[in-house]
Amino acid sequence: MDADIGIIGVGTMGSMAMWQLARKGVSVLGFEQFGTGHDRSAASGESRLFRTVYFEGEKYVPLLQDAKKLWSQLEEESGNQLLTLNGGVMIGNPNFEEMKNAMKSIKDFSLEHELLSPEQAKERYPQHHLESEEIMILDKNAGFLRPELSTVSAVARAESLGATVNRYTKIEEIIPDDNGVTIRTKNNEYRVGKVLVTAGPWAGKLLPQLNEIITVKRIVLSWYTPKNINQFMPEQFPVFAHLGDDFKLTGTPTIEGSMVKASNNPTFKDVSSPDQLNREVSIEEIITASNVIKGKIPGLIPHPVRSTAYMDASTPDGHPIVGEVPEIKNTVFMCGFSGHGFKMSPVMGKIAAELLVDGKTNYSIEHLSPQRMVDSASLLS
Ligand SMILES: Cc1cc2nc3c(=O)[nH]c(=O)nc-3n(C[C@H](O)[C@H](O)[C@H](O)COP(=O)(O)OP(=O)(O)OC[C@H]3O[C@@H](n4cnc5c(N)ncnc54)[C@H](O)[C@@H]3O)c2cc1C
């Protein structure tokens, strides 16, 4: 046996799982097809939003509250600042499903927040333009994360606790059986007790059973310079999500303090294969985003200084797949984070470690169960 646990894909979730498993004293062997902290998948692009008031559903709130504690723990153990809590604003029509979800998450968990009318929002955050029917929710426990540094910090900490990572090692096949799992690269074979599949956009390539469920989506990020940077520093300008009928604008002030990074992705476009992501952003895409920026954040010069495309794995209902499928032995799946997984990655790492070592977790993750996909599709066929 080469290790108790093998991790396929040491990106966002794989790195956090590796850290949590190493903390439990379990022998863990990770495989990453690129280097750790690389920019070819879902975990790069300088920053990620952290939000607690959650428009994807109130069931995530306890996970996010624990994720926040674990981010602090990783900061302490690594000595690196990973999360900056400068607040977050969510803007939209209160009748939108997402805004209703956000309000429900506030109500159910008494989350620290403020509700601002368009007039109050204009006074407090004049950077944003609101329509008369919109509201602004200020999430006091929001901010931005440093994704590359986070992944690398978790891996380094895991390695210092005894974990091993085989970098630049692509897994071609995993073969689970009753007693363990065989992992194959082009030239080598490894044997582990259990395996965690955290292959992100490549999950469907690795396990064809996932192909029907997981699609790869392209997400564009752009960097804009402000007319007056003093209005757009983290202290004055919380992270934001502005939802409209035909736009979804999210963003953060940049870490080095000269720009705003924003993303307008009302819907994500399909990527035919994760190996063929087109990172070029077309002029049409730039102009569409520029028009939204012009109308909603008029203090930004609406022509980006740079734009790049990234990708994430998505599921039909927008919730990840976390857990085991009884018929696939000794294998835990953790993939399909659908554009919103980074903020919760440390708690996902903890859940993975609990599922792999203890066979159960006390976190409520029924809504993330692979079984819901087995019921609706054919994870087993
Ligand atoms: C542009 C963009 C912006 C986003 N913004 C936010 C945000 O603001 N807030 C938020 O919370 N979330 C955000 N997300 C979502 C979040 O970043 C992702 O959900 C999360 O990073 C997914 O993590 P993962 O571990 O599933 O995938 P990844 O981080 O991509 O990790 C998968 C890893 O597996 C490796 N791998 C795959 N196949 C193999 C193989 N066969 N052998 C070896 N290694 C393999 C890959 O190389 C990769 O390193 C955003 C995503 C994108 C793309």
Side-chain angles (χ1 to χ4, degrees):
M1 200 68 90
D2 293 293
D4 294 335
I5 311 285
I7 298 185
I8 315 300
V10 187
T12 310
M13 304 300 159
S15 63
M16 296 295 165
M18 178 165 266
W19 169 48
Q20 288 294 324
L21 284 161
R23 290 187 92 254
K24 275 181 174 282
V26 175
S27 80
V28 51
L29 175 58
F31 299 91
E32 171 51 52
Q33 62 183 338
F34 304 122
T36 40
H38 68 88
D39 74 340
R40 297 170 187 229
S41 190
S44 53
E46 189 188 298
S47 56
R48 288 286 182 271
L49 272 70
F50 181 89
R51 299 175 277 118
T52 311
V53 172
Y54 217 52
F55 55 71
E56 290 85 349
E58 79 287 350
K59 288 183 180 151
Y60 287 94
V61 173
L63 299 175
L64 295 167
Q65 289 175 324
D66 271 18
K68 188 175 159 227
K69 292 181 200 150
L70 289 166
W71 282 116
S72 298
Q73 188 179 343
L74 183 55
E75 286 181 330
E76 212 169 283
E77 290 183 24
S78 66
N80 291 325
Q81 192 195 350
L82 306 173
L83 173 61
T84 299
L85 286 171
N86 67 326
V89 296
M90 189 178 301
I91 303 163
N93 186 314
N95 295 321
F96 284 173
E97 209 51 49
E98 293 93 335
M99 296 302 276
K100 287 185 191 166
N101 285 345
M103 292 308 294
K104 183 160 171 32
S105 71
I106 289 172
K107 189 165 165 271
D108 287 3
F109 294 93
S110 308
L111 299 178
E112 265 189 285
H113 76 288
E114 282 181 51
L115 213 52
L116 282 75
S117 67
E119 295 72 35
Q120 290 166 322
K122 191 173 176 190
E123 198 160 306
R124 186 92 163 265
Y125 297 111
Q127 301 93 333
H128 291 284
H129 175 80
L130 274 71
E131 302 300 332
S132 57
E133 69 279 8
E134 290 180 318
I135 56 161
M136 177 185 272
I137 303 169
L138 173 61
D139 176 355
K140 302 276 180 87
N141 284 296
F144 57 89
L145 288 152
R146 294 155 178 79
E148 297 87 353
L149 187 60
S150 300
T151 305
V152 168
S153 297
V155 174
R157 181 67 183 140
E159 286 179 308
S160 76
L161 293 169
T164 303
V165 188
N166 287 349
R167 294 172 173 83
Y168 306 104
T169 306
K170 183 172 181 156
I171 299 307
E172 303 288 343
E173 200 180 4
I174 55 175
I175 309 158
D177 58 52
D178 286 349
N179 304 313
V181 183
T182 300
I183 299 172
R184 287 203 181 127
T185 66
K186 206 168 171 196
N187 302 314
N188 283 311
E189 196 169 283
Y190 301 84
R191 185 79 183 153
V192 295
K194 288 186 179 179
V195 85
L196 174 68
V197 180
T198 43
W202 282 266
K205 286 205 127 191
L206 193 62
L207 282 164
Q209 297 100 317
L210 291 176
N211 249 336
E212 242 184 79
I213 296 160
I214 300 234
T215 48
V216 183
K217 301 287 184 184
R218 184 169 174 277
I219 307 179
V220 174
L221 298 179
S222 299
W223 282 256
Y224 298 92
T225 43
K227 292 171 189 164
N228 176 358
I229 185 59
N230 295 324
Q231 285 194 318
F232 290 94
M233 298 301 279
E235 302 75 35
Q236 286 76 34
F237 190 63
V239 305
F240 62 92
H242 194 156
L243 311 176
D245 285 324
D246 55 358
F247 67 90
K248 180 180 173 192
L249 194 62
T250 56
T252 62
T254 56
I255 285 161
E256 41 67 61
S258 74
M259 282 181 259
V260 169
K261 190 198 82 177
S263 164
N264 174 44
N265 290 286
T267 53
F268 298 139
K269 286 189 187 148
D270 282 334
V271 177
S272 59
S273 160
D275 295 315
Q276 281 159 11
L277 170 69
N278 176 11
R279 305 201 75 174
E280 290 290 314
V281 180
S282 71
I283 296 296
E284 288 72 25
E285 287 174 302
I286 288 177
I287 291 173
T288 304
S290 293
N291 286 335
V292 177
I293 291 282
K294 220 183 281 177
K296 301 301 166 194
I297 314 183
L300 294 180
I301 293 165
H303 314 294
V305 294
R306 73 175 195 275
S307 292
T308 312
Y310 301 84
M311 62 181 162
D312 198 5
S314 233
T315 63
D317 62 9
H319 301 296
I321 294 171
V322 178
E324 289 173 287
V325 176
E327 290 76 1
I328 304 178
K329 305 275 184 212
N330 295 313
T331 306
V332 170
F333 297 92
M334 188 164 268
C335 39
F337 282 84
S338 309
H340 64 110
F342 202 88
K343 62 183 82 57
M344 62 187 92
S345 57
V347 77
M348 285 296 152
K350 188 172 174 200
I351 289 170
E354 289 174 355
L355 292 175
L356 287 158
V357 177
D358 311 326
K360 63 181 171 55
T361 177
N362 289 329
Y363 287 98
S364 292
I365 53 164
E366 297 75 26
H367 62 301
L368 313 180
S369 161
Q371 199 58 40
R372 75 188 196 280
M373 298 293 173
V374 174
D375 294 343
S376 67
S378 55
L379 194 54
L380 304 175
S381 64

